[in-house]
Amino acid sequence: MVELSTTKDGIPNQAEASDRVLQILSEAGRLFATKGYDGTSMRDIAVACGISKSLLYHHFSNKDEIYARVAVGSTLELYLFVRDRVPDGPPSQKIRAFMVATAEYFRRYRWAWIASTTAFWNDPDRHRQKERLTRRDRFENFLRGLIQEAIDAGEIRKVDVPMTGRLILSSLNWMHRWYNPNKSATPEQIADIFFDMVFNGLRSGDAAAPPPAEPPKSSRRKARQTSRS
Amino acid sequence: MVELSTTKDGIPNQAEASDRVLQILSEAGRLFATKGYDGTSMRDIAVACGISKSLLYHHFSNKDEIYARVAVGSTLELYLFVRDRVPDGPPSQKIRAFMVATAEYFRRYRWAWIASTTAFWNDPDRHRQKERLTRRDRFENFLRGLIQEAIDAGEIRKVDVPMTGRLILSSLNWMHRWYNPNKSATPEQIADIFFDMVFNGLRSGDAAAPPPAEPPKSSRRKARQTSRS
DNA sequence: ATTTTCACCGACCGACCGGTCAAGCCCGCT
DNA sequence: AGCGGGCTTGACCGGTCGGTCGGTGAAAAT
């Protein structure tokens, strides 16, 4: 319960919220993530919390505000969260830290993450959408800056920076569609594996770099499915 | 108009459908993709087609059936579509062809693709969801087979096969979120760039492979945004 | 010429939606 | 004991949802 919006750990949102409000945000986030915005009624949220529908309107002015607190409110500082976890060092390792930090954010605020990325990716032309895109741009431009750094430092090839950013973010943004918290690796470990693949490439060491010292826990199976992509 | 379900090109679905049915499926697909399943009412579809709502029920038994024809019906043979476009040759090139073919499918059946991947990624009904997952598994296992081939042939490192498949599919599945048909590259070209990045890696040639002969149309900009990921 | 077929429509239904409101409950304060 | 005021409620509202129904008109079949 109440897994969103902890006030510790530098996530500054949802400050001063009562337990009941936190409960509502938690249940609403889970419902928005699993059933979508339109598919989740105010009654659903009320029943999940064991309260009356009217009480929701005592704490929030309308459904949109609940969604905003769940999605925008908790996605608020993804950029800050990640930026503070990217230490100084070689640019390529900063990219790796960027990916691992984003995965950590995903693991910790999973429902809010899913709700914000799936429920409203289009949207009834809201002004809030613009705000989200602004944050998204800030986040993405941060990554592009890191990529450019790595290019300037000669650590990575002169690839197309926006396209490289999209590849990296794709691997992270799609994770919620197949990640199962009960098995396989943690999101941080997955991000690490993806970084290794993208940075070092899949190509074998013939006439190139030798197979890296740490093969990322290569489970030698014959391509049976475990979970979908 | 009527861009779904052409009977040529080996996409065998939607056979024997009247123009009106094709129009309904086309408009419904566009609406489902842009406004979501719950966000699209039968009235919306009827108005978009310039017909009465009753007529929808003359051609389809209910809303779910329309969605099924749009999403499941057109996603039907993604596996076959891609399989037929993967020629014999070096396994790594088969992976590349797999990616390009998937991108082509995305470009040609874009609305149905988006509708099927966004609207219902979870959600109520059971049997159709299972059917979709079965197809998805077949598609994904096909890719995993190609990856395993490339490993056995020594073309790529002994990476984790399922995880590698997820990385590749992530790059393709997330494309619809940022792809803009009016600018940048075609989906096929994007898939080609992604293949190059993932296969050869981002790392520069220091003590590894030299920077490949063809830097993929590296547009040397300073990491300003063009479109989001 | 009559019947059958079929694409098509307007009016309507019960259910549920987001949201409102007046009134109770329960608490500490005086 | 009396009381004010936050929390909480059930009843209710207008509107929209997916879906139904009886019927129309024109072409096709007989």
Side-chain angles (χ1 to χ4, degrees):
Chain A
M1 213 71 65
V2 187
E3 62 184 309
L4 310 174
S5 66
T6 52
T7 50
K8 55 190 171 71
D9 297 314
I11 303 294
N13 54 314
Q14 257 64 282
E16 311 295 329
S18 70
D19 284 351
R20 175 110 301 159
V21 168
L22 292 179
Q23 180 197 18
I24 293 172
L25 290 174
S26 171
E27 294 294 335
R30 189 175 53 79
L31 288 169
F32 284 147
T34 53
K35 310 204 310 174
Y37 180 82
D38 290 319
T40 301
S41 72
M42 295 295 271
R43 285 168 183 80
D44 292 338
I45 300 173
V47 168
C49 296
I51 60 178
S52 74
K53 187 165 66 80
S54 307
L55 187 52
L56 297 177
Y57 288 94
H58 176 72
H59 292 292
F60 301 89
S61 62
N62 52 40
K63 187 181 178 182
D64 258 18
E65 186 184 323
I66 297 181
Y67 176 80
R69 288 285 293 275
V70 169
V72 181
S74 78
T75 309
L76 176 61
E77 297 302 359
L78 168 61
Y79 163 68
L80 294 178
F81 181 95
V82 170
R83 187 195 59 182
D84 292 346
R85 281 164 179 77
V86 172
D88 282 336
S92 65
Q93 289 309 305
K94 290 166 84 169
I95 294 174
R96 177 200 191 114
F98 174 96
M99 293 175 68
V100 172
T102 303
E104 181 189 349
Y105 187 92
F106 161 74
R107 179 176 53 77
R108 291 171 57 165
Y109 308 103
R110 183 152 161 255
W111 294 131
W113 171 292
I114 295 175
S116 69
T117 54
T118 62
F120 257 31
W121 79 280
N122 47 43
D123 195 332
D125 65 355
R126 285 283 178 276
H127 54 293
R128 185 167 61 254
Q129 192 71 5
K130 270 199 169 176
E131 187 183 354
R132 288 192 49 223
L133 289 179
T134 300
R135 289 187 186 139
R136 196 76 200 169
D137 283 344
R138 190 153 37 114
F139 177 69
E140 187 158 7
N141 283 330
F142 178 57
L143 172 61
R144 293 182 182 181
L146 298 183
I147 296 169
Q148 189 62 53
E149 271 188 57
I151 293 177
D152 294 341
E155 282 194 299
I156 70 177
R157 301 151 43 198
K158 288 188 176 57
V159 287
D160 183 272
V161 171
M163 205 62 87
T164 306
R166 291 188 192 108
L167 173 64
I168 290 174
L169 291 180
S170 295
S171 70
L172 300 171
N173 287 333
W174 196 252
M175 204 188 302
H176 72 88
R177 292 290 224 101
W178 59 268
Y179 172 67
N180 182 338
N182 298 123
K183 48 183 177 177
S184 89
T186 67
E188 290 94 324
Q189 291 171 326
I190 294 166
D192 210 36
I193 293 172
F194 282 167
F195 172 81
D196 168 68
M197 289 181 181
V198 172
F199 182 66
N200 294 312
L202 301 178
R203 193 177 48 190
S204 68
D206 310 359
E214 35 125 17
K217 61 166 299 192
S218 171
S219 71
R220 298 308 331 282
R221 255 179 287 99
K222 190 60 180 178
R224 296 312 306 155
Q225 77 272 26
T226 53
S227 62
R228 288 104 175 169
S229 299
Chain B
M1 211 73 64
V2 187
E3 62 185 308
L4 310 174
S5 68
T6 52
T7 50
K8 55 189 171 70
D9 297 314
I11 303 292
N13 54 316
Q14 256 64 285
E16 310 296 329
S18 70
D19 284 351
R20 174 113 300 161
V21 167
L22 293 179
Q23 179 197 17
I24 292 171
L25 290 174
S26 171
E27 295 293 335
R30 189 175 52 80
L31 288 169
F32 285 147
T34 52
K35 310 205 309 177
Y37 179 82
D38 290 318
T40 301
S41 71
M42 294 295 271
R43 286 168 182 82
D44 292 338
I45 300 173
V47 168
C49 296
I51 60 177
S52 73
K53 189 162 68 79
S54 307
L55 187 52
L56 296 176
Y57 288 94
H58 176 72
H59 291 293
F60 300 90
S61 61
N62 52 38
K63 186 180 177 182
D64 259 18
E65 187 184 322
I66 297 181
Y67 176 81
R69 287 285 292 275
V70 169
V72 181
S74 79
T75 308
L76 175 63
E77 299 301 356
L78 168 61
Y79 163 69
L80 294 178
F81 181 94
V82 170
R83 189 195 59 182
D84 292 346
R85 281 164 178 76
V86 172
D88 281 334
S92 63
Q93 289 308 305
K94 290 166 83 170
I95 294 174
R96 177 201 192 113
F98 174 95
M99 292 176 69
V100 171
T102 303
E104 180 187 350
Y105 187 91
F106 161 74
R107 178 175 55 76
R108 292 172 55 162
Y109 307 102
R110 184 152 160 253
W111 294 132
W113 172 291
I114 295 175
S116 69
T117 53
T118 62
F120 257 31
W121 78 280
N122 46 41
D123 234 311
D125 8 63
R126 283 291 161 261
H127 56 293
R128 185 166 59 254
Q129 192 71 4
K130 271 199 168 174
E131 187 184 353
R132 288 191 50 219
L133 289 179
T134 299
R135 290 189 187 138
R136 195 77 200 169
D137 283 345
R138 191 155 33 115
F139 178 69
E140 185 159 8
N141 283 331
F142 178 57
L143 172 60
R144 292 181 182 181
L146 298 182
I147 295 169
Q148 188 64 51
E149 270 188 59
I151 293 177
D152 295 340
E155 282 194 299
I156 69 177
R157 302 152 42 198
K158 288 188 176 56
V159 286
D160 183 274
V161 171
M163 205 62 87
T164 305
R166 291 188 192 108
L167 173 63
I168 290 174
L169 290 180
S170 295
S171 70
L172 301 171
N173 287 333
W174 194 254
M175 205 188 303
H176 71 88
R177 293 288 225 101
W178 58 268
Y179 172 67
N180 183 337
N182 299 123
K183 47 182 177 176
S184 88
T186 66
E188 290 93 326
Q189 290 170 326
I190 293 166
D192 210 35
I193 293 172
F194 281 167
F195 172 81
D196 167 68
M197 289 181 181
V198 172
F199 182 66
N200 293 313
L202 301 178
R203 192 176 49 190
S204 67
D206 309 357
E214 35 123 16
K217 60 167 302 192
S218 171
S219 70
R220 297 309 333 280
R221 253 179 288 99
K222 189 60 180 177
R224 297 314 307 158
Q225 79 273 24
T226 51
S227 62
R228 288 102 177 170
S229 300

